[in-house]
């Protein structure tokens, strides 16, 4: 086992190898991750975790899949946070800042406390990308929020009730559909997929053993 550390999962003490992430430590302790985490056949961002180290009053956040355990770490996973998700038609949506006022007006109630940025599990400048969204700079908002996994921790700490991940998602969709330069290669590939050009190839791959598929992936020709 090597060096072990003591952690507390939902108040119960466990001794686990010190080289594990919180997620693997939970599995080592016998917990089944059934909430659909991305690396467990679900959605990335579902393993948002709150923790504190004994003797330290600061409450910290992280993703269980990438945060390493520490000795005397008190851990609790964050239940699904109910983000506001507005419904809209991307074919009819305006591409000015008016769309944010229409769908997510709460972003203009931001008080600049920066709690969202401080709590981001991905270390993103959340308050900055919300500022970009406020003034309709969707390209910069999309770029600043690109690594968001929509765990919802930022929104759980926001006194204005902003659904930061959904605001960022809207900005990225507007940027991708209307503002970013077109990609002829990508458009042709999408047409090929819709036409079923790869159907036989995919079906053949699905019949191969896992190890053979891994070998094919590792030795594939990477496009430059």
């Amino acid at each position: 086992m090597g060096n072990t550390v003591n952690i507390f999962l939902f108040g119960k003490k466990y001794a686990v190898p010190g080289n594990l992430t919180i997620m693997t430590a939970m599995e080592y302790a016998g917990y089944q991750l059934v909430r659909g985490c991305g690396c467990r056949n679900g959605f990335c961002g579902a393993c948002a975790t709150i923790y504190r180290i004994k003797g330290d009053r600061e409450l910290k956040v992280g993703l269980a899949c990438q945060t390493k355990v520490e000795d005397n770490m008190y851990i609790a996973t964050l239940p699904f946070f109910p983000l506001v998700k507005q419904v809209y038609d991307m074919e009819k949506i305006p591409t000015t800042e008016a769309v944010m006022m229409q769908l997510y007006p709460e972003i203009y109630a931001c008080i600049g406390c920066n709690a969202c940025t401080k709590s981001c599990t991905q270390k993103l400048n959340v308050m900055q990308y919300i500022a970009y969204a406020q003034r309709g700079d969707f390209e910069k908002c999309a770029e600043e929020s690109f690594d968001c996994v929509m765990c919802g921790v930022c929104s759980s700490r926001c006194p204005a009730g902003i659904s930061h991940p959904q605001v960022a998602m809207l900005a990225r969709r507007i940027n991708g559909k209307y503002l970013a330069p077109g990609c002829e290669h990508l458009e042709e590939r999408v047409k090929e997929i819709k036409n079923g050009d790869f159907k036989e190839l995919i079906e053949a791959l699905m019949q191969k053993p896992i190890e053979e598929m891994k070998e094919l992936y590792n030795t594939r020709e990477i496009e430059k």
Side-chain angles (χ1 to χ4, degrees):
M1 288 177 57
N3 295 328
T4 61
V5 296
N6 293 320
I7 64 171
F8 296 82
L9 298 173
F10 310 104
K12 189 174 181 179
K13 183 178 179 180
Y14 297 89
V16 301
N19 62 344
L20 301 181
T21 62
I22 291 176
M23 181 176 288
T24 52
M26 291 177 67
E27 292 172 331
Y28 181 91
Y31 286 88
Q32 284 188 309
L33 300 175
V34 295
R35 287 178 48 227
C37 297
C39 46
R40 301 298 187 272
N41 301 313
F43 295 94
C44 189
C47 65
T49 303
I50 299 172
Y51 66 93
R52 184 179 65 83
I53 307 301
K54 185 177 181 179
D56 185 353
R57 296 179 62 186
E58 182 182 0
L59 193 64
K60 301 179 181 180
V61 296
L63 296 178
C65 63
Q66 64 185 30
T67 305
K68 193 174 179 180
V69 293
E70 298 180 45
D71 195 33
N72 288 317
M73 176 186 272
Y74 289 78
I75 299 165
T77 56
L78 183 70
F80 170 75
F81 192 77
L83 299 171
V84 174
K85 183 179 180 181
Q86 300 293 1
V87 178
Y88 45 83
D89 185 345
M90 284 304 301
E91 301 299 328
K92 301 177 181 178
I93 203 165
T95 58
T96 65
E97 64 270 20
V99 69
M100 290 296 175
M101 179 60 77
Q102 175 186 341
L103 295 175
Y104 295 105
E106 63 274 11
I107 68 173
Y108 299 98
C110 173
I111 62 175
C113 66
N114 213 29
C116 52
T117 299
K118 292 177 181 177
S119 65
C120 178
T121 58
Q122 293 291 86
K123 310 301 181 188
L124 301 180
N125 193 339
V126 182
M127 192 173 79
Q128 180 61 67
Y129 78 62
I130 290 298
Y132 287 140
Q134 288 173 335
R135 53 180 181 261
D137 196 337
F138 301 128
E139 182 179 359
K140 288 185 177 178
C141 181
E143 182 179 355
E144 195 74 43
S145 68
F146 187 79
D147 289 326
C148 174
V149 294
M150 306 189 75
C151 67
V153 173
C154 55
S155 298
S156 73
R157 303 296 301 276
C158 179
I162 298 171
S163 291
H164 311 75
Q166 293 295 344
V167 172
M169 176 67 77
L170 174 57
R172 292 196 297 273
R173 286 173 172 168
I174 290 175
N175 184 61
K177 183 170 179 61
Y178 296 108
L179 307 178
C183 178
E184 185 177 343
H185 175 78
L186 178 60
E187 291 173 358
E188 287 299 319
R189 182 52 52 86
V190 171
K191 288 180 183 177
E192 290 172 348
I193 292 172
K194 287 183 176 179
N195 290 336
D197 294 359
F198 302 102
K199 185 177 180 181
E200 291 184 8
L201 175 61
I202 292 173
E203 289 179 350
L205 286 173
M206 293 297 290
Q207 302 303 317
K208 294 183 181 295
I210 292 294
E211 292 305 316
E212 186 176 344
M213 291 180 68
K214 288 181 179 179
E215 182 63 24
L216 287 170
Y217 179 82
N218 291 330
T219 58
R220 72 194 187 282
E221 182 179 346
I222 298 177
E223 189 174 341
K224 305 238 174 166

